[in-house]
Amino acid sequence: IGTELAELHSLEENFLWAEQWKADYRAHWEHYMQCDGSPDPAVPQEINTFMSLWQENKNEDIEFVIKKGNQVLNLIEKLNFLLLDTPPNELMEEVIVQYQESILELQSLLHQKYNEATEHLLKKASTFADSDSGNMDVVIKDKNITFCIWGNLKKNARYSTKVTLFQIKNGFDLPKTVATSDVAVRILHTHYDHMSPLQRIPKQHLKVQALESKPELTVLYDMKEEKEEEQKSGEDSDLVIEKESDGRKSTISFKDSTKVDPGENEKLEEESDKKSENVSTISGELIGENVVDLHQFTPVGGVYFVDALKLPPQAKQIKGWTMVELLDVGLETYPYPPESEETEDATYPRVGVILRLLDSVIFFEEPMVARWDSAGKQWRTDGISDIQYKMKEKQISFEMDTFYTITLIQDAHLNMPYQSWELRPNGTDELLFTIVTAFAEVQMQIKGNQCMLSSIIMDGSEQLSHLTGKWTSPIDLTVVLKKAGVNIFPSDYSYKYVCVNKKTPLAEVTSYQQMALVASAFAFSWSKWNLASGQDQVVFKVSEHLKTDAVKDEDWSLYMFNGQRAQRLKISETSEAFSEDLAENTEFHSTLYHLIKDFASEEAIEKVKKASCLFIDAIYQLLITTRVLTYS
């Protein structure tokens, strides 16, 4: 056993080398930065200077703000990447606070600039008058936003009650009292979500450490506590695997529902109270009626700001002079329903809205419509009625009791649990990772340290073709897919909403690591017997695979592993009952690698030994984020 563990430890050095490479990559910002004069968002002085200079600039037109906004979105994306990519043991609390504060300030500044540009545009609304209706009608489409604004210049109810912006198939139905007033309606559709609270970055960890005397992993938690957690449905905790070699430490983190010491939870709660109200809280808060639980649901397709605005005085031609009344009041909201004591109990007609859904996202079901509650800083479903869906036309209509900021909500766990999965090598440091869900087949490709979406097939047709074929990091791929509505990445709280095939951290995480170490020459796949093997053991199919074609059914063998003992099973996938009996002429091994090695060709083992550390790490990242052994 000692020899096997030493040999495995040598292979596991790949994870340390990969972590060191990524640390060096993060340290050299020229990899991140473009030669466009952008500041380094990780340096407070640079990002503060950038924001201050833009804050001072006034009267910018909407086209300039959209262009500058894309630069701001890029800075936010880089900060989010750093928060997700940096190992928890390297991410200091003050750095987390700094990055998140910069993100919130950039988001606020960007929306402020859209408001300023809207005001600037409304002051010259008459120059954008439509030749038929005489009213202002402006639509601007960009990769990250769709900006449309309508100004009621003529105040003619015939043209002002029902308005359809044909370029984007958005529209609204105004009450007559509004349709005859100095009012403008803006539908600002940001294809991103800057309203929902930021995700909290974990700080406390339940550790699974490698002891100096024994190179194998040891799970440091009380089995009695785990049983209590199952009964009480206790709190979440992080799982961290730490390995040391030559003075270097590598930490890999993922969430597990094992109970944490109560004292640590109290400390967590105290720290969370100090955080910004714009950052989501730790699990355990009560969700009120009509409030969207963002642990269970997720906004998809961005945010629609549907605003009624006061139309400022327009320029007039008098005796060759252009005269305009200047009001230094900024962008003013048009109050509806009217705010007065006499009308407090009165009933007012509702505002109708028609919204066009983005082509760049997938709605697997008819989404919920939610409005932003600025006081409670949460999404709510009340105040919205008469929802009509035209999913084939990608259109949704509804009525609101006032003008709201809207988003479309989808169950975050529609694609969980998975129906099957497969990890199959198809070249040197290259493989295909396929996950089949109830709605779609998602195929991802890994090559070196990069990965890409190969295809998403739903009802026999490919979806999201604009995302396929683009190489990126594993972290970026998870962000892009979740933004597009394809969530195959369980969160800290997913076990509360999905029927999970629970496994011990030792069995699950060690399996992902050792699968990644040999995946350059061996295919792995889902087995139905994983459901019957208990919490302490995982079962999956394995086959040596040095070709690029699909694995034949007869080439698969069943392996069982608990993190410390691996065995080949006698049963097959088509057997009538589960059995732990050993396959003939086989023996137990302390590692999955050495069990596989017993039946492997020299060519396959040589390929495993030559696999790139970054390729191994990329495989591990996707396995640990999809958690196929517990969510299938």
Side-chain angles (χ1 to χ4, degrees), residues 614-629:
L614 297 178
F615 175 63
I616 293 169
D617 182 70
I619 299 169
Y620 176 78
Q621 285 189 61
L622 282 184
L623 286 173
I624 205 74
T625 53
T626 54
R627 297 191 64 183
V628 290
L629 292 174

PDB file of all heavy atoms in Angstrom, residues 614-629:
ATOM      1  N   LEU A 614      -2.100  21.013 -16.358  1.00  0.00           N
ATOM      2  CA  LEU A 614      -3.201  21.956 -16.563  1.00  0.00           C
ATOM      3  C   LEU A 614      -4.428  21.247 -17.144  1.00  0.00           C
ATOM      4  O   LEU A 614      -5.564  21.603 -16.836  1.00  0.00           O
ATOM      5  CB  LEU A 614      -2.764  23.098 -17.480  1.00  0.00           C
ATOM      6  CG  LEU A 614      -1.632  23.976 -16.939  1.00  0.00           C
ATOM      7  CD1 LEU A 614      -1.260  25.045 -17.957  1.00  0.00           C
ATOM      8  CD2 LEU A 614      -2.027  24.617 -15.621  1.00  0.00           C
ATOM      9  N   PHE A 615      -4.191  20.243 -17.976  1.00  0.00           N
ATOM     10  CA  PHE A 615      -5.281  19.443 -18.519  1.00  0.00           C
ATOM     11  C   PHE A 615      -5.966  18.661 -17.399  1.00  0.00           C
ATOM     12  O   PHE A 615      -7.198  18.647 -17.287  1.00  0.00           O
ATOM     13  CB  PHE A 615      -4.722  18.490 -19.579  1.00  0.00           C
ATOM     14  CG  PHE A 615      -5.716  17.512 -20.144  1.00  0.00           C
ATOM     15  CD1 PHE A 615      -6.822  17.947 -20.858  1.00  0.00           C
ATOM     16  CD2 PHE A 615      -5.538  16.148 -19.955  1.00  0.00           C
ATOM     17  CE1 PHE A 615      -7.734  17.035 -21.382  1.00  0.00           C
ATOM     18  CE2 PHE A 615      -6.436  15.228 -20.477  1.00  0.00           C
ATOM     19  CZ  PHE A 615      -7.534  15.686 -21.196  1.00  0.00           C
ATOM     20  N   ILE A 616      -5.175  18.043 -16.535  1.00  0.00           N
ATOM     21  CA  ILE A 616      -5.711  17.303 -15.397  1.00  0.00           C
ATOM     22  C   ILE A 616      -6.522  18.226 -14.501  1.00  0.00           C
ATOM     23  O   ILE A 616      -7.627  17.887 -14.052  1.00  0.00           O
ATOM     24  CB  ILE A 616      -4.560  16.648 -14.608  1.00  0.00           C
ATOM     25  CG1 ILE A 616      -3.900  15.552 -15.451  1.00  0.00           C
ATOM     26  CG2 ILE A 616      -5.052  16.094 -13.275  1.00  0.00           C
ATOM     27  CD1 ILE A 616      -2.607  15.022 -14.873  1.00  0.00           C
ATOM     28  N   ASP A 617      -5.989  19.415 -14.237  1.00  0.00           N
ATOM     29  CA  ASP A 617      -6.681  20.372 -13.374  1.00  0.00           C
ATOM     30  C   ASP A 617      -7.993  20.845 -13.989  1.00  0.00           C
ATOM     31  O   ASP A 617      -8.995  21.015 -13.287  1.00  0.00           O
ATOM     32  CB  ASP A 617      -5.766  21.578 -13.108  1.00  0.00           C
ATOM     33  CG  ASP A 617      -6.400  22.587 -12.171  1.00  0.00           C
ATOM     34  OD1 ASP A 617      -6.531  22.277 -10.981  1.00  0.00           O
ATOM     35  OD2 ASP A 617      -6.779  23.676 -12.652  1.00  0.00           O
ATOM     36  N   ALA A 618      -8.010  21.060 -15.309  1.00  0.00           N
ATOM     37  CA  ALA A 618      -9.241  21.501 -15.984  1.00  0.00           C
ATOM     38  C   ALA A 618     -10.334  20.432 -15.872  1.00  0.00           C
ATOM     39  O   ALA A 618     -11.506  20.749 -15.645  1.00  0.00           O
ATOM     40  CB  ALA A 618      -8.957  21.826 -17.451  1.00  0.00           C
ATOM     41  N   ILE A 619      -9.942  19.169 -16.025  1.00  0.00           N
ATOM     42  CA  ILE A 619     -10.911  18.074 -15.867  1.00  0.00           C
ATOM     43  C   ILE A 619     -11.468  18.075 -14.447  1.00  0.00           C
ATOM     44  O   ILE A 619     -12.684  17.986 -14.231  1.00  0.00           O
ATOM     45  CB  ILE A 619     -10.252  16.716 -16.165  1.00  0.00           C
ATOM     46  CG1 ILE A 619      -9.737  16.653 -17.601  1.00  0.00           C
ATOM     47  CG2 ILE A 619     -11.236  15.571 -15.908  1.00  0.00           C
ATOM     48  CD1 ILE A 619      -8.842  15.461 -17.879  1.00  0.00           C
ATOM     49  N   TYR A 620     -10.566  18.183 -13.491  1.00  0.00           N
ATOM     50  CA  TYR A 620     -10.994  18.175 -12.087  1.00  0.00           C
ATOM     51  C   TYR A 620     -11.950  19.337 -11.790  1.00  0.00           C
ATOM     52  O   TYR A 620     -12.949  19.152 -11.095  1.00  0.00           O
ATOM     53  CB  TYR A 620      -9.767  18.257 -11.178  1.00  0.00           C
ATOM     54  CG  TYR A 620     -10.149  18.357  -9.714  1.00  0.00           C
ATOM     55  CD1 TYR A 620     -10.554  17.235  -9.005  1.00  0.00           C
ATOM     56  CD2 TYR A 620     -10.141  19.583  -9.061  1.00  0.00           C
ATOM     57  CE1 TYR A 620     -10.937  17.322  -7.678  1.00  0.00           C
ATOM     58  CE2 TYR A 620     -10.519  19.682  -7.733  1.00  0.00           C
ATOM     59  CZ  TYR A 620     -10.913  18.552  -7.047  1.00  0.00           C
ATOM     60  OH  TYR A 620     -11.304  18.654  -5.735  1.00  0.00           O
ATOM     61  N   GLN A 621     -11.649  20.506 -12.322  1.00  0.00           N
ATOM     62  CA  GLN A 621     -12.512  21.664 -12.073  1.00  0.00           C
ATOM     63  C   GLN A 621     -13.934  21.416 -12.571  1.00  0.00           C
ATOM     64  O   GLN A 621     -14.908  21.753 -11.891  1.00  0.00           O
ATOM     65  CB  GLN A 621     -11.928  22.914 -12.738  1.00  0.00           C
ATOM     66  CG  GLN A 621     -10.731  23.497 -12.021  1.00  0.00           C
ATOM     67  CD  GLN A 621     -10.338  24.845 -12.612  1.00  0.00           C
ATOM     68  OE1 GLN A 621     -11.110  25.792 -12.605  1.00  0.00           O
ATOM     69  NE2 GLN A 621      -9.134  24.910 -13.145  1.00  0.00           N
ATOM     70  N   LEU A 622     -14.063  20.848 -13.764  1.00  0.00           N
ATOM     71  CA  LEU A 622     -15.403  20.592 -14.293  1.00  0.00           C
ATOM     72  C   LEU A 622     -16.109  19.473 -13.524  1.00  0.00           C
ATOM     73  O   LEU A 622     -17.326  19.521 -13.321  1.00  0.00           O
ATOM     74  CB  LEU A 622     -15.336  20.256 -15.781  1.00  0.00           C
ATOM     75  CG  LEU A 622     -15.155  21.451 -16.727  1.00  0.00           C
ATOM     76  CD1 LEU A 622     -15.212  20.997 -18.184  1.00  0.00           C
ATOM     77  CD2 LEU A 622     -16.223  22.520 -16.486  1.00  0.00           C
ATOM     78  N   LEU A 623     -15.367  18.480 -13.078  1.00  0.00           N
ATOM     79  CA  LEU A 623     -15.979  17.415 -12.287  1.00  0.00           C
ATOM     80  C   LEU A 623     -16.466  17.938 -10.938  1.00  0.00           C
ATOM     81  O   LEU A 623     -17.562  17.600 -10.484  1.00  0.00           O
ATOM     82  CB  LEU A 623     -14.972  16.276 -12.070  1.00  0.00           C
ATOM     83  CG  LEU A 623     -14.676  15.377 -13.277  1.00  0.00           C
ATOM     84  CD1 LEU A 623     -13.535  14.418 -12.952  1.00  0.00           C
ATOM     85  CD2 LEU A 623     -15.919  14.599 -13.693  1.00  0.00           C
ATOM     86  N   ILE A 624     -15.670  18.775 -10.305  1.00  0.00           N
ATOM     87  CA  ILE A 624     -16.033  19.259  -8.978  1.00  0.00           C
ATOM     88  C   ILE A 624     -17.150  20.299  -9.042  1.00  0.00           C
ATOM     89  O   ILE A 624     -17.914  20.474  -8.093  1.00  0.00           O
ATOM     90  CB  ILE A 624     -14.791  19.836  -8.249  1.00  0.00           C
ATOM     91  CG1 ILE A 624     -14.965  19.778  -6.724  1.00  0.00           C
ATOM     92  CG2 ILE A 624     -14.488  21.252  -8.674  1.00  0.00           C
ATOM     93  CD1 ILE A 624     -14.842  18.416  -6.146  1.00  0.00           C
ATOM     94  N   THR A 625     -17.291  21.004 -10.173  1.00  0.00           N
ATOM     95  CA  THR A 625     -18.373  21.991 -10.289  1.00  0.00           C
ATOM     96  C   THR A 625     -19.689  21.342 -10.736  1.00  0.00           C
ATOM     97  O   THR A 625     -20.765  21.839 -10.402  1.00  0.00           O
ATOM     98  CB  THR A 625     -18.005  23.113 -11.271  1.00  0.00           C
ATOM     99  OG1 THR A 625     -17.603  22.549 -12.526  1.00  0.00           O
ATOM    100  CG2 THR A 625     -16.892  23.978 -10.728  1.00  0.00           C
ATOM    101  N   THR A 626     -19.613  20.232 -11.462  1.00  0.00           N
ATOM    102  CA  THR A 626     -20.839  19.534 -11.881  1.00  0.00           C
ATOM    103  C   THR A 626     -21.248  18.467 -10.859  1.00  0.00           C
ATOM    104  O   THR A 626     -22.432  18.117 -10.796  1.00  0.00           O
ATOM    105  CB  THR A 626     -20.652  18.859 -13.245  1.00  0.00           C
ATOM    106  OG1 THR A 626     -19.495  18.003 -13.208  1.00  0.00           O
ATOM    107  CG2 THR A 626     -20.472  19.896 -14.349  1.00  0.00           C
ATOM    108  N   ARG A 627     -20.302  17.930 -10.119  1.00  0.00           N
ATOM    109  CA  ARG A 627     -20.550  16.932  -9.073  1.00  0.00           C
ATOM    110  C   ARG A 627     -21.435  15.785  -9.584  1.00  0.00           C
ATOM    111  O   ARG A 627     -22.475  15.453  -9.017  1.00  0.00           O
ATOM    112  CB  ARG A 627     -21.155  17.591  -7.840  1.00  0.00           C
ATOM    113  CG  ARG A 627     -20.227  18.603  -7.202  1.00  0.00           C
ATOM    114  CD  ARG A 627     -20.718  19.060  -5.839  1.00  0.00           C
ATOM    115  NE  ARG A 627     -20.724  17.942  -4.887  1.00  0.00           N
ATOM    116  CZ  ARG A 627     -21.178  18.059  -3.629  1.00  0.00           C
ATOM    117  NH1 ARG A 627     -21.650  19.205  -3.200  1.00  0.00           N
ATOM    118  NH2 ARG A 627     -21.158  17.016  -2.824  1.00  0.00           N
ATOM    119  N   VAL A 628     -20.964  15.177 -10.670  1.00  0.00           N
ATOM    120  CA  VAL A 628     -21.764  14.163 -11.348  1.00  0.00           C
ATOM    121  C   VAL A 628     -22.004  12.906 -10.508  1.00  0.00           C
ATOM    122  O   VAL A 628     -22.973  12.181 -10.746  1.00  0.00           O
ATOM    123  CB  VAL A 628     -21.108  13.772 -12.694  1.00  0.00           C
ATOM    124  CG1 VAL A 628     -21.209  14.906 -13.698  1.00  0.00           C
ATOM    125  CG2 VAL A 628     -19.648  13.355 -12.495  1.00  0.00           C
ATOM    126  N   LEU A 629     -21.163  12.630  -9.542  1.00  0.00           N
ATOM    127  CA  LEU A 629     -21.332  11.415  -8.746  1.00  0.00           C
ATOM    128  C   LEU A 629     -22.447  11.534  -7.716  1.00  0.00           C
ATOM    129  O   LEU A 629     -22.974  10.525  -7.243  1.00  0.00           O
ATOM    130  CB  LEU A 629     -20.014  11.060  -8.031  1.00  0.00           C
ATOM    131  CG  LEU A 629     -18.876  10.606  -8.951  1.00  0.00           C
ATOM    132  CD1 LEU A 629     -17.587  10.419  -8.169  1.00  0.00           C
ATOM    133  CD2 LEU A 629     -19.249   9.319  -9.680  1.00  0.00           C
TER     134      LEU A 629
END
